[in-house]
Amino acid sequence: RSFRGYNRLLTSQIISHYDSINQNKKELPEYFNFASDVLDEWSQLEKVDGKKPANPAFWWVNEEGEEVKWSFEELGFLSRKAANVLSEACGLQRGDRVIAVLPRVPEWWLLGVACMRTGIVFAPGTSQLTAKDILYRLQASKAKGIITSDTLAPAVESVVPDSQFLKSKLIVGKGSRDGWLNLTEHI
């Protein structure tokens, strides 16, 4: 679906920003964080200033037609909560690697933004990975965390003993498993 009339506005803003950088009129930040420097800025424009119409920042539709729509403010709020789960409940820090073996559910994107916020390295993996594939990725990346669904958790559990760096396991879904944190219960 297209958002009629908004393409020109967004394109002109991007070109204007690019031109001002080329003309040395804008100072580039020493550190850039997409979550705080872009998403939170858009949330501010959407919420307080009224300069940006309330279009969804995230819009997900599944095969049954169920929709999840998050505004920039909602995406910011949820990603901060998810970032807290990763940092506090899971004990992950900036530079730590976390592997996400999930189908493309809304939490996949939410956790990606949460990792951007915290500086945790987000390593996405397809839900078609086998236990052998998961073990290889855990060992090669020295991942300290893994995020998966309740249906894929048994494959992860079968390789956990061989993964010496793994310290936290996060599950996305309604189920619970021994030794796993449930994202839904924490945000």
Side-chain angles (χ1 to χ4, degrees):
R1 297 179 185 173
S2 66
F3 292 94
R4 293 187 189 120
Y6 294 110
N7 286 342
R8 286 189 207 139
L9 175 66
L10 295 176
T11 304
S12 66
Q13 287 175 337
I14 292 168
I15 291 171
S16 171
H17 182 71
Y18 180 75
D19 286 342
S20 64
I21 290 171
N22 280 341
Q23 297 168 7
N24 295 322
K25 291 181 181 175
K26 273 204 182 200
E27 190 174 315
L28 292 176
E30 184 177 351
Y31 299 101
F32 175 79
N33 184 302
F34 180 80
S36 58
D37 294 335
V38 176
L39 292 179
D40 291 350
E41 184 66 31
W42 280 63
S43 174
Q44 186 66 25
L45 291 172
E46 174 184 86
K47 180 177 155 186
V48 177
D49 301 335
K51 292 181 180 175
K52 184 188 166 304
N55 286 325
F58 178 81
W59 191 349
W60 177 86
V61 182
N62 70 6
E63 298 84 27
E64 289 82 39
E66 297 172 286
E67 293 184 350
V68 172
K69 283 186 188 181
W70 292 326
S71 67
F72 285 92
E73 183 179 5
E74 291 168 324
L75 181 57
F77 175 75
L78 291 170
S79 67
R80 280 187 288 280
K81 288 183 85 170
N84 286 338
V85 170
L86 293 172
S87 298
E88 295 169 14
C90 294
L92 299 171
Q93 301 173 21
R94 179 180 195 79
D96 287 346
R97 293 164 193 89
V98 64
I99 295 177
V101 183
L102 288 169
R104 297 308 178 253
V105 293
E107 292 83 0
W108 190 91
W109 283 274
L110 180 64
L111 288 160
V113 174
C115 285
M116 287 179 213
R117 282 193 184 283
T118 58
I120 295 170
V121 179
F122 183 73
T126 176
S127 57
Q128 296 175 336
L129 294 176
T130 65
K132 182 180 174 183
D133 299 328
I134 293 168
L135 177 61
Y136 172 77
R137 283 162 174 76
L138 286 169
Q139 290 175 336
S141 69
K142 299 178 183 176
K144 291 186 179 178
I146 190 158
I147 305 164
T148 194
S149 66
D150 49 352
T151 57
L152 298 168
V156 173
E157 288 174 338
S158 72
V159 299
V160 165
D162 298 322
S163 184
Q164 66 271 25
F165 300 101
L166 190 65
K167 67 179 189 177
S168 65
K169 300 176 291 184
L170 190 63
I171 198 163
V172 173
K174 296 177 183 169
S176 63
R177 295 182 85 81
D178 287 338
W180 290 76
L181 291 172
N182 188 307
L183 178 69
T184 310
E185 292 173 4
H186 285 82
I187 59 171

